[in-house]
Amino acid sequence: MNTKFMREAIRLSAIKMRAGNGGPFGAIVVRQGKVVGRGFNAVTSSNDPTAHAEVMAIREACRRLKTFKLQDCELYTSCEPCPMCLAAIYWARLRRVFYANTRKDAARIGFDDDLIYREIALPVAKRSVPMKQLLRREAFKAFTEWDAKADKVRY
């Protein structure tokens, strides 16, 4: 653990928030003691609800390292990751995550991720956003083809 990297994530969160980029969130990806990706919340400035600090840092690290797997990297983030960012962390296979503020701290200033955490735990039919399955048989053909594909790149 390196407090220097956490301070960088915190500094990035404050600078970009003050500049009007979005909420007070910053994140960095570190590999072998070097920063390989930086991200900050740019939801409101980019009109992109997925432009969270952690996602942006992961995207930059993957682009710079030319890989979609960051298993030898760590993430330092100014706040406990939301469900979307948590999923991105798992998909990127990050080795470890360090965070500063908690999701309860974020809820106190209007960023309430608990709704999403609660929704994920519900059966699909009970979620607040209606979801209806369509054309599974047609879609499943691509799954079958993928399963048999000899040259697939696993992730």
Side-chain angles (χ1 to χ4, degrees):
M1 176 177 65
N2 191 322
T3 56
K4 173 182 84 168
F5 295 130
M6 182 58 78
R7 285 191 177 102
E8 172 65 13
I10 294 167
R11 185 185 72 77
L12 190 59
S13 76
I15 289 171
K16 296 301 185 175
M17 178 265 304
R18 291 176 192 138
N21 290 99
F25 305 98
I28 61 171
V29 175
V30 176
R31 181 177 182 230
Q32 298 172 353
K34 294 184 178 155
V35 176
V36 294
R38 285 183 174 78
F40 55 89
N41 185 285
V43 170
T44 57
S45 60
S46 66
N47 294 315
D48 179 354
T50 69
H52 288 203
E54 297 90 339
V55 170
M56 303 296 273
I58 289 168
R59 287 175 182 167
E60 182 176 291
C62 289
R63 195 168 36 252
R64 286 181 70 191
L65 298 174
K66 296 179 177 28
T67 184
F68 55 87
K69 291 183 180 179
L70 301 175
Q71 70 273 11
D72 59 346
C73 298
E74 299 173 339
L75 179 80
Y76 291 79
T77 179
S78 65
C79 188
E80 183 178 355
C82 76
M84 177 185 69
C85 294
L86 186 59
I89 288 162
Y90 279 95
W91 280 117
R93 310 290 195 256
L94 283 153
R95 177 173 64 182
R96 190 176 2 211
V97 175
F98 299 98
Y99 65 92
N101 293 312
T102 68
R103 70 190 208 204
K104 289 183 181 183
D105 296 330
R108 282 193 275 284
I109 61 167
F111 295 92
D112 191 1
D113 302 336
D114 274 342
L115 167 69
I116 303 168
Y117 278 106
R118 287 190 308 271
E119 288 280 312
I120 289 170
L122 294 174
V124 173
K126 298 208 180 230
R127 293 180 183 160
S128 62
V129 175
M131 296 184 186
K132 181 166 174 55
Q133 187 176 24
L134 294 173
L135 303 176
R136 179 176 179 258
R137 192 174 303 148
E138 288 182 37
F140 202 77
K141 291 176 186 174
F143 275 27
T144 302
E145 187 177 333
W146 170 262
D147 193 38
K149 189 171 171 41
D151 63 342
K152 62 186 161 211
V153 177
R154 294 192 180 274
Y155 57 96

